[in-house]
Structures are given as structure tokens and as C-alpha cells.
Amino acid sequence: MPLNILFIRHGQTQGNLERRYIGSTDQPLCPEGREALAGRQLPPANQIYASPLLRCRETASLLFPSQPFEVVEDFRECDFGAFENHTYEELKDDPAYQLWLDTAGEIPPPGGESKAAQKIRTLGAFHSVISRHSAGTIALVVHGGTIMAILESLEPTHEFYRWQAENGCGWLCAWDGRSLTVISSY
């Protein structure tokens, strides 16, 4: 039996509703986010892992109410530095923001984390977690950027933005020891 990984983006927060860059900001789920997760049926998982940020821990508790989960520090979202908690509209005239957009996040935001640094951090956490499992299904309740970094690196298309997940959604993937194959989305 192979190892399957269920990638789940956390439920919606107020910052998500307002289209803000919410990376290291520790926001809870908003009422709409909680409501959207209520009654969701996901494939069963043998073990649940979550980012330490509240929105992921709350999502894990709502989606897997009878299962404990393990917090993995390095599954946290990218730190957007000076752009944290701001919207595109608030930042669009900032030259540093435009440069960050023009480089697709390759340079870090002022005081924040680069895409490369986030990828190294999240891939290290991913490999640490999967090294404990040889079969079954594990669930990772994490952030959009965390999912994109892992799938860009380990899914054969290597496309970062292809893996943008809506809140509470994601992918079920098979792990063969080298790469991820998407089985389904949900």
C-alpha cells in the first residue's frame, strides 16, 4: 500500500476575506470559514499534522474532531515582512512591493522570507514527516504557500501557481519516495 498525503489549506480568516497578505499573522478562522468547514467529509487519515498557526490548528480540529494532531513548526506560512497584513491596493504604489511582484517572490519582502527560504524550510519539514510513514494516508493541514512550495518541488510539472488552493480545499497525492502524483482534488 502506498503512502498518500492529503494536503489541506486552512479555512478562511478575516484577512483572507479582505484579501490581505496573512503569513505570520496568527489569525483565527472567521465565522464564514468555520461554517464552510462544518460537515466536510475528507478521506480518512492515519495521522494529522498541522502548522502551528491558529487557523491551521482550528481547521485540523474541525475536520478531524476525533483525532489528535501534531504541530510541525516549519509548516508555517511565509513571513511577508513589511507586506504582512496589507492588501494589494495598499501596497501597489510601493516600489519594494512592485519589485517583489516582478520577481515572483524570488527576493524577500523587506523584513520577510524569500520563496527559496520558505521552500527549503517546508521541504525539510515535509521530508521529516514522511520519513515516519511507509503506507497509509497522512493529512497536512497547512497554508497555501506551504502547499505550493511542496508541490512545485515534488510534483512533476514543477509549477508553483498551479497549486493555489482555496480555503479548506487541496489535493490527495501519492508519494513514491521521490515525487508526488496528484490523485484528486477536493
Side-chain angles (χ1 to χ4, degrees):
M1 184 162 102
L3 176 60
N4 291 328
I5 297 127
L6 190 58
F7 290 94
I8 305 163
R9 183 179 177 206
H10 62 79
Q12 196 169 50
T13 67
Q14 188 63 38
N16 297 142
L17 282 173
E18 297 170 1
R19 303 185 60 79
R20 295 185 179 282
Y21 288 99
I22 303 297
S24 60
T25 302
D26 200 11
Q27 289 192 334
L29 298 176
C30 64
E32 297 89 338
R34 289 178 162 283
E35 185 177 315
L37 295 174
R40 289 280 316 268
Q41 296 296 316
L42 296 174
N46 305 96
Q47 177 67 45
I48 317 300
Y49 297 93
S51 159
L53 297 179
L54 182 57
R55 57 195 181 265
C56 292
R57 292 182 287 123
E58 287 182 336
T59 299
S61 293
L62 288 168
L63 293 177
F64 302 98
S66 63
Q67 287 181 263
F69 58 88
E70 181 179 330
V71 170
V72 179
E73 183 65 32
D74 284 338
F75 278 155
R76 68 192 180 282
E77 180 63 285
C78 180
D79 181 346
F80 293 112
F83 306 149
E84 188 75 27
N85 210 22
H86 291 283
T87 66
Y88 170 82
E89 285 300 316
E90 293 168 348
L91 295 168
K92 68 182 179 184
D93 296 324
D94 181 337
Y97 178 68
Q98 284 302 317
L99 182 60
W100 181 69
L101 289 180
D102 291 346
T103 65
E106 296 301 324
I107 62 165
E113 183 177 33
S114 71
K115 190 168 129 181
Q118 182 202 15
K119 186 184 297 185
I120 290 167
R121 174 175 51 77
T122 57
L123 282 173
F126 177 79
H127 286 294
S128 176
V129 163
I130 63 169
S131 71
R132 303 182 219 168
H133 304 275
S134 58
T137 299
I138 62 172
L140 307 183
V141 183
V142 294
H143 307 274
T146 305
I147 294 170
M148 293 189 308
I150 294 169
L151 286 174
E152 176 194 29
S153 299
L154 299 173
E155 192 277 335
T157 63
H158 302 294
E159 296 176 31
F160 185 75
Y161 292 105
R162 177 180 185 176
W163 305 112
Q164 287 181 318
E166 295 293 322
N167 292 107
C169 298
W171 291 272
L172 178 63
C173 299
W175 172 250
D176 67 7
R178 291 184 330 273
S179 65
L180 291 164
T181 302
V182 175
I183 298 170
S184 62
S185 63
Y186 53 91

